[in-house]
Amino acid sequence: MNLTSDQLIFWQHGFLKLNETIVTTWILMLVMVLGSKLVTRKLLSEGTISRWQGALEIIVTTLEKQIKDVGLAEAQKYLPFLGTLFLFVAICSVCTIIPGYKPPTGSLSTTAALALCVFVAVPLFGIREQGFGTYLKTYAKPTFIMLPFNIISELSRTLALAVRLFGNMMSGVMIIGILLTITPFVFPIVMTALGLLTGMVQAYIFTILAGVYIAAATFVPKPKLTLQTATTEH
């Protein structure tokens, strides 16, 4: 029994492999692109809106609120990146209702790629907000001795993101696979429903953690007011 989509290989040439994880990931990305085109092709700013636009506005406003809650005041700057992360992981979980489907997030290669996206995005957003030199100085705060520890922290939290998402998604797939072999059909259905809930929670946690890391990287401390500055302002 194949519990991970990495085990099913469609094509191989030397070390190059085309497995189910890659195929499923690209199919899901294509579905997301086409779905976004269909949903956003007839958006209205007034009058009666469609149910699709209503659902889209609920998702967007909810994501914007959550992004602001983690400390990113200008949520629209980060919505495309964080929103895409959330929707991808969420859709991977929702599709588990399809018989025979194995979510690509149940593969460590996929979760590592998602975590790597966060790893790259954090300094990019930080440099954009603070400038290249100012951002690099944050690794040496509060003292230069902390430089190696801050670098290790960046690497370890990226690894933790990948392993956390992989472990939680893979555990649900494994439990359902085991139950299918030893129990009646009704129990895997219940576990699939619980897996949907778990997947949505994991999508939320992954996105929020990414937002927290970006908020920390883009935080610009306000300059302290001196006595002379305060007197001048008054």
Side-chain angles (χ1 to χ4, degrees), residues 79-91:
L79 181 62
F81 176 70
L82 294 176
T84 302
L85 282 180
F86 174 80
L87 289 176
F88 179 78
V89 179
I91 291 174

Side-chain angles (χ1 to χ4, degrees), residues 1-6 8 10 20-21 24 92 94-104 173 176-177 180 185 188 192:
M1 179 179 59
N2 294 334
L3 294 178
T4 174
S5 53
D6 285 341
L8 181 58
F10 297 114
E20 188 181 5
T21 300
T24 307
C92 286
V94 170
C95 289
T96 54
I97 61 175
I98 301 174
Y101 167 85
K102 300 181 186 68
V173 175
I176 294 173
L180 278 171
F185 186 67
T192 300

Side-chain angles (χ1 to χ4, degrees), residues 68-172:
K68 289 179 181 179
D69 288 344
V70 299
L72 296 169
E74 300 180 20
Q76 291 184 349
K77 286 184 178 180
Y78 314 99
L79 181 62
F81 176 70
L82 294 176
T84 302
L85 282 180
F86 174 80
L87 289 176
F88 179 78
V89 179
I91 291 174
C92 286
S93 302
V94 170
C95 289
T96 54
I97 61 175
I98 301 174
Y101 167 85
K102 300 181 186 68
T105 45
S107 167
L108 185 57
S109 59
T110 302
T111 57
L114 292 172
L116 186 61
C117 290
V118 178
F119 178 74
V120 174
V122 168
L124 288 180
F125 282 119
I127 291 171
R128 188 179 70 175
E129 292 295 325
Q130 302 188 50
F132 186 76
T134 304
Y135 177 75
L136 289 183
K137 290 179 182 178
T138 60
Y139 285 96
K141 291 182 178 180
T143 64
F144 186 78
I145 300 175
M146 295 300 297
L147 177 61
F149 298 101
N150 287 330
I151 294 175
I152 293 173
S153 174
E154 291 278 344
L155 297 173
S156 62
R157 74 185 186 186
T158 302
L159 178 62
L161 270 178
V163 174
R164 180 188 294 110
L165 182 59
F166 165 73
N168 285 285
M169 299 301 292
M170 183 58 186
S171 61

